[in-house]
Coordinates of all heavy atoms in Angstrom, one line a residue:
D308 N 67.5 -73.7 83.8 CA 66.2 -73.0 83.4 C 66.1 -71.6 84.0 O 65.5 -70.7 83.5 CB 65.0 -73.9 83.8 CG 65.0 -74.3 85.3 OD1 65.9 -74.0 86.0 OD2 64.0 -74.9 85.7
H309 N 66.7 -71.4 85.2 CA 66.6 -70.1 85.9 C 67.7 -70.2 87.0 O 68.3 -71.2 87.2 CB 65.2 -69.8 86.4 CG 64.6 -70.9 87.3 ND1 65.1 -71.1 88.6 CD2 63.7 -71.8 87.0 CE1 64.4 -72.1 89.0 NE2 63.5 -72.6 88.1
G310 N 67.7 -69.1 87.8 CA 68.7 -69.0 88.9 C 68.0 -69.3 90.2 O 66.9 -69.9 90.3
E311 N 68.6 -68.7 91.3 CA 68.1 -68.8 92.6 C 68.6 -67.6 93.4 O 69.8 -67.3 93.5 CB 68.6 -70.1 93.3 CG 68.5 -70.2 94.8 CD 67.0 -70.1 95.3 OE1 66.2 -71.0 94.9 OE2 66.7 -69.2 96.1
L312 N 67.6 -66.9 94.0 CA 67.9 -65.7 94.7 C 68.7 -65.9 96.0 O 69.6 -65.1 96.4 CB 66.7 -64.9 95.0 CG 66.1 -64.2 93.8 CD1 64.6 -63.8 94.0 CD2 66.9 -63.0 93.4
A313 N 68.5 -67.0 96.7 CA 69.2 -67.4 97.9 C 69.4 -66.3 98.8 O 70.5 -65.9 99.3 CB 70.6 -68.0 97.5
M314 N 68.3 -65.6 99.1 CA 68.1 -64.5 100.1 C 68.6 -63.2 99.6 O 68.7 -62.2 100.3 CB 68.8 -64.9 101.4 CG 68.3 -66.1 102.0 SD 66.4 -66.2 102.2 CE 66.1 -64.8 103.4
E315 N 69.0 -63.0 98.3 CA 69.2 -61.7 97.7 C 67.9 -61.0 97.6 O 66.9 -61.6 97.3 CB 69.9 -61.8 96.4 CG 71.3 -62.3 96.5 CD 72.0 -62.4 95.1 OE1 71.5 -61.7 94.2 OE2 73.1 -63.0 95.0
H316 N 67.9 -59.7 97.8 CA 66.7 -58.9 97.7 C 65.5 -59.4 98.7 O 64.4 -59.3 98.3 CB 66.2 -58.8 96.3 CG 67.2 -58.2 95.3 ND1 67.3 -56.9 95.2 CD2 68.1 -58.8 94.5 CE1 68.3 -56.6 94.3 NE2 68.8 -57.8 93.9
R317 N 66.0 -60.0 99.8 CA 65.0 -60.5 100.8 C 64.1 -61.5 100.2 O 62.9 -61.5 100.5 CB 64.3 -59.3 101.4 CG 63.8 -59.7 102.8 CD 62.9 -58.6 103.4 NE 62.6 -58.9 104.8 CZ 63.1 -58.3 105.9 NH1 63.9 -57.3 105.7 NH2 62.8 -58.7 107.1
Q318 N 64.6 -62.4 99.3 CA 63.8 -63.4 98.7 C 64.6 -64.7 98.5 O 65.9 -64.6 98.4 CB 63.2 -63.0 97.3 CG 62.3 -61.8 97.3 CD 61.8 -61.4 96.0 OE1 61.6 -62.3 95.1 NE2 61.8 -60.1 95.7
F319 N 64.0 -65.8 98.4 CA 64.6 -67.0 97.8 C 63.8 -67.4 96.6 O 62.9 -66.7 96.2 CB 64.7 -68.1 98.9 CG 63.4 -68.8 99.1 CD1 63.2 -70.1 98.6 CD2 62.3 -68.2 99.7 CE1 62.1 -70.8 98.8 CE2 61.1 -68.9 99.9 CZ 61.0 -70.2 99.4
Y320 N 64.2 -68.5 96.0 CA 63.5 -69.0 94.8 C 63.8 -68.1 93.6 O 64.8 -67.5 93.6 CB 62.0 -69.0 95.1 CG 61.3 -70.4 95.0 CD1 62.0 -71.6 95.0 CD2 59.9 -70.5 94.9 CE1 61.4 -72.8 94.9 CE2 59.3 -71.7 94.8 CZ 60.0 -72.8 94.8 OH 59.4 -74.0 94.6
K321 N 62.9 -68.1 92.6 CA 63.1 -67.4 91.4 C 62.0 -66.4 91.2 O 61.8 -65.6 92.0 CB 63.2 -68.4 90.2 CG 62.0 -69.3 90.1 CD 62.1 -70.6 90.9 CE 61.0 -71.6 90.5 NZ 61.1 -72.8 91.3
M322 N 61.4 -66.4 90.0 CA 60.2 -65.5 89.8 C 60.5 -64.0 89.8 O 59.6 -63.2 90.0 CB 59.1 -65.9 90.8 CG 58.7 -67.3 90.8 SD 58.2 -67.8 92.5 CE 57.7 -69.5 92.2
S323 N 61.7 -63.7 89.6 CA 62.2 -62.3 89.6 C 63.1 -62.0 88.5 O 63.8 -62.9 88.0 CB 62.9 -62.0 91.0 OG 63.6 -60.8 91.0
M324 N 63.2 -60.8 88.1 CA 64.2 -60.4 87.1 C 65.5 -59.9 87.6 O 66.5 -59.6 86.9 CB 63.6 -59.2 86.2 CG 62.4 -59.7 85.4 SD 62.8 -61.1 84.3 CE 61.1 -61.4 83.7
F325 N 65.7 -60.0 89.0 CA 67.0 -59.7 89.5 C 68.0 -60.8 89.1 O 67.6 -61.9 88.8 CB 66.9 -59.7 91.1 CG 66.3 -58.5 91.6 CD1 65.2 -58.6 92.5 CD2 66.7 -57.2 91.2 CE1 64.6 -57.4 93.0 CE2 66.0 -56.0 91.7 CZ 65.0 -56.2 92.6
E326 N 69.3 -60.5 89.1 CA 70.3 -61.3 88.5 C 70.3 -62.7 89.1 O 70.5 -63.7 88.4 CB 71.7 -60.7 88.7 CG 72.0 -59.5 87.8 CD 72.1 -59.9 86.3 OE1 73.1 -60.4 85.9 OE2 71.1 -59.6 85.6
G327 N 70.2 -62.8 90.4 CA 70.2 -64.2 91.0 C 69.2 -65.1 90.5 O 69.4 -66.3 90.4
S328 N 68.0 -64.6 90.0 CA 66.9 -65.4 89.5 C 67.0 -65.5 88.0 O 66.6 -66.6 87.5 CB 65.6 -64.7 89.9 OG 64.5 -65.2 89.2
S329 N 67.3 -64.5 87.3 CA 67.2 -64.5 85.8 C 68.5 -64.9 85.1 O 68.5 -65.3 83.9 CB 66.7 -63.2 85.3 OG 67.7 -62.1 85.6
H330 N 69.7 -64.8 85.7 CA 71.0 -65.0 85.1 C 71.3 -66.5 85.2 O 71.3 -67.1 86.3 CB 72.0 -64.2 85.8 CG 73.3 -64.1 85.1 ND1 74.0 -62.9 85.1 CD2 74.0 -64.9 84.3 CE1 75.1 -63.0 84.3 NE2 75.1 -64.3 83.8
V331 N 71.5 -67.2 84.1 CA 71.7 -68.6 84.1 C 73.1 -68.9 83.5 O 73.7 -68.1 82.7 CB 70.6 -69.4 83.2 CG1 69.3 -69.2 83.8 CG2 70.7 -68.9 81.8
P332 N 73.7 -70.1 83.9 CA 74.9 -70.5 83.3 C 74.7 -70.9 81.8 O 73.7 -71.5 81.5 CB 75.4 -71.6 84.2 CG 74.1 -72.2 84.7 CD 73.2 -71.1 84.8
L333 N 75.7 -70.7 81.0 CA 75.8 -71.2 79.7 C 77.2 -71.4 79.3 O 77.9 -70.4 79.1 CB 75.0 -70.3 78.7 CG 75.0 -70.8 77.2 CD1 74.4 -72.2 77.1 CD2 74.2 -69.9 76.3
L334 N 77.6 -72.6 79.2 CA 79.0 -73.0 78.8 C 78.9 -74.0 77.7 O 78.1 -75.0 77.7 CB 79.8 -73.6 80.0 CG 79.9 -72.7 81.2 CD1 78.9 -73.0 82.3 CD2 81.3 -72.7 81.7
V335 N 79.7 -73.8 76.6 CA 79.7 -74.7 75.4 C 81.1 -75.1 75.1 O 82.0 -74.2 74.9 CB 79.0 -74.0 74.2 CG1 78.9 -74.9 73.1 CG2 77.7 -73.4 74.6
M336 N 81.3 -76.4 75.0 CA 82.6 -76.9 74.6 C 82.5 -78.0 73.5 O 81.5 -78.7 73.5 CB 83.3 -77.6 75.8 CG 84.6 -78.3 75.6 SD 85.1 -79.3 77.0 CE 84.1 -80.7 76.8
G337 N 83.4 -78.0 72.5 CA 83.3 -79.0 71.5 C 84.2 -78.8 70.4 O 84.9 -77.8 70.3
P338 N 84.2 -79.7 69.4 CA 85.1 -79.6 68.2 C 84.8 -78.4 67.4 O 83.7 -78.1 67.1 CB 84.8 -80.9 67.5 CG 83.5 -81.3 67.9 CD 83.4 -80.9 69.3
G339 N 85.9 -77.7 67.0 CA 85.7 -76.5 66.2 C 85.3 -75.2 66.9 O 85.1 -74.2 66.3
L340 N 85.2 -75.3 68.3 CA 84.8 -74.2 69.1 C 86.0 -73.7 69.9 O 86.9 -74.4 70.2 CB 83.6 -74.6 70.0 CG 82.4 -75.2 69.4 CD1 81.3 -75.5 70.4 CD2 81.8 -74.3 68.3

Side-chain angles (χ1 to χ4, degrees):
D308 58 352
H309 51 74
E311 164 62 56
L312 287 163
M314 302 310 293
E315 293 183 13
H316 300 279
R317 204 184 186 108
Q318 297 180 39
F319 78 109
Y320 239 18
K321 54 275 188 176
M322 305 149 176
S323 165
M324 294 303 171
F325 288 127
E326 288 290 284
S328 167
S329 64
H330 197 143
V331 297
L333 180 55
L334 301 100
V335 186
M336 177 189 79
L340 305 181

